[in-house]
Amino acid sequence: VCDFENKAASKARKRYTFVVNRFRFRVAASAFLTAQLLSFAPTTVAAPPTKSAPQPGATERLYDAALRAARAGDLPRAADLCRQTLRRAPKSAPVWATLARLLSQQNLHDEALSASGQAVALAPKNGAFLADMSDYLLRAGRRADAERTATRALSLAPQSDVALSVAVSCRLADGRDKEALPLLKRLQAVRGGKDRAVAQNLVTANLRLGDKRAALSAAQAFAQAAPK
């Protein structure tokens, strides 16, 4: 009997050991699988910080202030702000061109020409800058230089109102009515055929050349384009 009981107890201990080991295996296997799953889980990437819209720098703010001052009619302050801008950005052709325009409006023709020269030197293919320079030259009494510069401007910007006006003025001042006529017609076309001063110059130039029919035609064209 004792021998039988000992065998039964031994079997019970073996069964208990088997159950415990199987449980430990399951726990270990579960931990291993969990670790494997976590290793393949997608990592969370932090979203990059949103960038705010770029703010204008000090140079841009100075130039904007200059334009506001010009619109408000404070030309000396606008010119001073342009100079401050140019100390920061000396190679900015548009700022030089703006400074030249502001100086010309204050009848500072020599200073305007100097600033305009800087703009043209930095952007020699800009027809508008050349046209402005031709206007400053004409205002400074340098008619021959003004005409040459206007011709250069028109080669780059054929419809430039400023360059056409300067070219016409130079030719009419020299009594070259025949040369002025085609330019007057181009200028009137640019202005939509409705400019009274251009029409009057067309009539006058044709009359001086003895072409009454052309003078009458110019007058009629203006009357049709700009009826009262």
Side-chain angles (χ1 to χ4, degrees), residues 101-149:
R101 196 172 300 116
L102 292 167
L103 293 169
S104 178
Q105 289 171 349
Q106 298 173 75
N107 295 318
L108 301 171
H109 301 305
D110 290 339
E111 291 182 48
L113 272 173
S114 177
S116 179
Q118 293 286 347
V120 170
L122 290 165
K125 298 297 184 181
N126 190 303
F129 293 166
L130 278 166
D132 285 346
M133 177 180 269
S134 71
D135 181 50
Y136 308 145
L137 286 164
L138 185 61
R139 293 174 187 274
R142 296 167 57 179
R143 195 159 66 224
D145 291 335
E147 184 175 346
R148 281 193 293 270
T149 306

Side-chain angles (χ1 to χ4, degrees), residues 8-195:
S10 177
K11 288 182 179 180
R13 281 195 299 272
K14 287 180 180 180
R15 182 173 180 80
Y16 172 80
T17 301
F18 173 77
V19 171
V20 169
N21 288 339
R22 188 169 60 177
F23 175 77
R24 287 175 177 171
F25 173 79
R26 287 179 177 175
V27 170
S30 177
F32 174 79
L33 289 172
T34 301
Q36 291 297 307
L37 288 171
L38 287 174
S39 68
F40 288 102
T43 55
T44 303
V45 179
T50 57
K51 295 182 179 180
S52 57
Q55 298 298 313
T59 305
E60 290 81 359
R61 289 196 297 271
L62 274 173
Y63 188 47
D64 288 343
L67 296 178
R68 287 196 300 272
R71 287 193 293 269
D74 192 347
L75 301 184
R77 174 168 169 73
D80 182 61
L81 287 166
C82 277
R83 292 189 185 95
Q84 292 182 48
T85 304
L86 288 166
R87 282 195 284 272
R88 294 172 175 269
K91 293 186 178 181
S92 177
V95 181
W96 280 112
T98 300
L99 176 59
R101 196 172 300 116
L102 292 167
L103 293 169
S104 178
Q105 289 171 349
Q106 298 173 75
N107 295 318
L108 301 171
H109 301 305
D110 290 339
E111 291 182 48
L113 272 173
S114 177
S116 179
Q118 293 286 347
V120 170
L122 290 165
K125 298 297 184 181
N126 190 303
F129 293 166
L130 278 166
D132 285 346
M133 177 180 269
S134 71
D135 181 50
Y136 308 145
L137 286 164
L138 185 61
R139 293 174 187 274
R142 296 167 57 179
R143 195 159 66 224
D145 291 335
E147 184 175 346
R148 281 193 293 270
T149 306
T151 301
R152 285 176 59 198
L154 288 171
S155 70
L156 296 167
Q159 303 301 313
S160 169
D161 187 296
V162 174
L164 284 168
S165 298
V166 171
V168 165
S169 297
C170 292
R171 286 163 174 77
L172 290 178
D174 291 340
R176 291 180 285 152
D177 296 313
K178 190 173 182 178
E179 294 178 33
L181 277 174
L183 293 170
L184 278 166
K185 291 175 183 177
R186 283 171 61 184
L187 181 58
Q188 188 67 306
V190 167
R191 297 185 179 179
K194 300 179 180 180
D195 191 286

Side-chain angles (χ1 to χ4, degrees), residues 187-210:
L187 181 58
Q188 188 67 306
V190 167
R191 297 185 179 179
K194 300 179 180 180
D195 191 286
R196 183 176 297 277
V198 176
Q200 290 173 342
N201 278 307
L202 275 167
V203 171
T204 302
N206 278 303
L207 287 175
R208 281 201 295 255
L209 291 169

